[in-house]
Amino acid sequence: MPKILDNINHKLLDDLRVSMATALRADFCVGYFNLRGWKLIDDLTDQWSGEGDARTRLLVGMQDLPEGELRSSLSLLERPDGLDNKEAKRLRRRVAESFRQQLMLGAPSNSDAAGLRRLSRQLKEGKVQVKLFLGFLLHAKLYLLHRADHAAPRVAYVGSSNLTFAGLKRQGELNVDVVDSDATQKLAQWFEDRWTDRWAIDITLELAQIIDESWAGEQGHQPHDIYLKMAYHLSREARAGVGEFRIPQDLQKILFPYQTAAVQIAAHHLNKRGGVMLGDVVGLGKTLMATALVRVMQEAAPIRTLIICPVNLVPMWEDYVHRHALLAKVLPISRVTKGLPDEKHYQLVLIDESHNLRNREGKRYRAIQEYVAFHESKVILLSATPYNKSYEDLGAQLRLFVPEDADLGIRPEELIRETGEADFRAKYQAPVRSIAAFEKSPHADDWRDLMRLYLVRRTRSFVQANYAEEDPTDGRRYLTFSDGQRAYFPVRRPRTVTFAVDESDPADVYARLYAPDVVDTVGQLALPRYGLGNFIADKARREAKGAEKELLDNLGRAGKRLIGFSRTNLFKRLESGGATFVQSLERHVLRNYIFLHALEDGKPLPIGPQNAELLDERDDDEGTLFSTDGEATTPAEPTADTDEALNALDLTEAAYRARAAQVYGVYETAFKKRFRWIRAELFTGKLATALRQDARALLDILTAAGEWKPEHDPKLNALHTLLTQTHPNEKVLVFTQFADTVEYLVRELRKRGVTHIEGAVGSSKDPTELAWRFSPGSNNKTYVPDQELRVLIATDVLSEGQNLQDAHVIVNFDVCD
């Protein structure tokens, strides 16, 4: 009677090892062979010499192939003419690759490494010979042992077990032993017929090579080898894009090589994932690269493009559309809420300055997101600053075209490692391979993995290191235009421009502002408008419902972070310039009295967003109005609290209270929709007390500082001297964090007769256009260069873009001392 080996009561491995111990050789036929599983019997194989028939012959079916490829192979096998040599070689390589993939699964161990090395040695010594059977789908499981026994010359095992850990040891299999001489002779002949078949392909040495080249190999790997392997795989998509897409000939003539590579890589991402972000730093020509990308997609298929951009960039984009034959329409972002729902179908949507779409609750954001989803449009995002203050900025931009539950193919591994996968699922209720999962991660490595799929971003140093040439005469690096002209990368040598501060002089404005009592006063401000959540009444917090409850919850989250930022920002504005600091204090006082006016009259408070959007240091939150959807707006009509009106006020509480009442009247009428409003009775009386104390403390500073007179500003005087005496003929770039400083410097320098000067504020002008105008010779813009522009004063949106070839001097006005 046959013995039943089901790995429950009797394990196949145990019986097989007993039979192998007395056998002369073995013939195995399995549908699936696990390389790591060989170590269960490799010691018994070692007893055979490998000479003649004294070995293990292993015949493997095609079960390793993926389903689609297996189905295709089977269809070939069923044809009358069957396989040919070319197809057999392809299948051989494919199955060999599947063995290589085996070794990449699971965590390596010393035991596995030792077992795989023994298998490699046995393969090379001839003790194990492996063939791949391609004649037909072979799913049989046969273990046949040949013995020196006249009564029972062979023992066979037939059943369901593959040569794997599970097949030999774990439950759920069913096998029987066969010892009958006639039956085993027929099984031996069956095996021999398969082994000598034309389509039984020997892969012995290939398997040995696969093992030797893997982590289990004897030779080991140097760190440089590992680095090259990682670089090869990480650059796979970049290499695919470069080889797959071709740039139109007219654009090939004007693109630099680094721009060409970026367009090809971006085209691959766009074609594969439906969206891409071009995020090169300022000055590397993203606009031209985006234009080339649109042309690449346009020539691959008859598509039309919708270009959404800030209103000040509309003329530039319309010029590009005409000049480079784009099938495109330009739409200012200010019109998307009303105009986008009625737009016709555009297969491609290009969004310039996409970092402005960080607020997922904004009306503009929702309009664009809904349009992209409805029309299934591909999306190109352009931004030199895709990441501002939180990783959610990146997630929000990707969500314009990536559905929340879409399978990204990768997970936030750092976060999952930190929390555990089960706890992650329970806590966040989000698919682990979705963008929603990544938005829960605070880890930079997780976001790098995600953005690698969508972002093309190079720094200036990367371009210099990989694409620029070196001038042997002076070592400077340069790029070459199509006409042979060289564009040199500047070498900046920082120098400090000093100005005197006389602490003993009571008339010295900076001495008064830098006084310890001023610093202490700013450091002790409560800044309650930035921490409204600290003043919510307990009853209001308990009873609030719906939208009001959500608003109170948002106020509670802001708290210390915004308070700390506001205080730091005041100090930074003092560092930027006395005029800017005074201006900020005046605005701050007025806003406090606007809140006090509302609280004392029982009227609702006008508030803006209490989140990371306020942490953009380039903007002055005190002078900005916010729309109801949380997006920054610049009203066509002048704001109620203009600087001219503030400067005319007496530095008294009564004057500011009167002005606050007027401003509040404008807010609740003409500007009502530009704020969110919250009931005054939701807050405790401590809010009014804190507002009043801060306002009075700041009024004391303003009173002590006195009227600001630009002619007595030593910092401005030092800059004027630098422009008119130290560098009277060179081009000068002055940059600062604050738009107020730009406006102050331009206004006052023009009064002093400095000509050919222009200011660039990132929110109102295109800084890349101004940078190009400042540096004639670039082929990345189509505007007529302004050769006369000599002094450019800009917000720090240009501080990254210090590649202005003709800027002989660059001044960071904020840190002059």
Side-chain angles (χ1 to χ4, degrees), residues 12 16 27-34 38 57-64 99 130-133 137-143 157 159-164 167-168 190-191:
L12 173 60
L16 181 62
D27 292 329
F28 297 161
C29 176
V30 294
Y32 185 81
F33 172 41
N34 183 278
W38 184 255
R57 297 189 299 177
L58 175 60
L59 190 64
V60 182
M62 288 197 301
Q63 303 304 307
D64 289 357
F99 281 113
V130 182
K131 285 188 176 184
L132 174 66
F133 187 79
L137 179 61
L138 186 62
H139 198 58
K141 284 84 174 177
L142 168 65
Y143 298 86
Y157 299 92
S160 65
S161 290
N162 277 312
L163 213 171
T164 64
L168 297 179
W190 179 92
F191 180 89

Side-chain angles (χ1 to χ4, degrees), residues 570-621:
L570 285 173
F571 284 124
K572 285 186 176 181
R573 292 175 71 82
L574 174 58
E575 185 180 43
S576 181
T580 302
F581 180 63
V582 168
Q583 189 178 61
S584 186
L585 296 190
E586 291 172 341
R587 291 171 177 167
H588 201 100
V589 172
L590 180 61
R591 289 296 177 87
N592 274 17
Y593 279 117
I594 291 172
F595 267 47
L596 280 170
H597 173 79
L599 291 171
E600 292 167 357
D601 286 9
K603 295 181 178 181
L605 304 179
I607 63 172
Q610 297 287 311
N611 55 33
E613 290 178 9
L614 281 182
L615 303 184
D616 189 344
E617 297 173 0
R618 290 173 302 198
D619 295 325
D620 173 27
D621 59 289

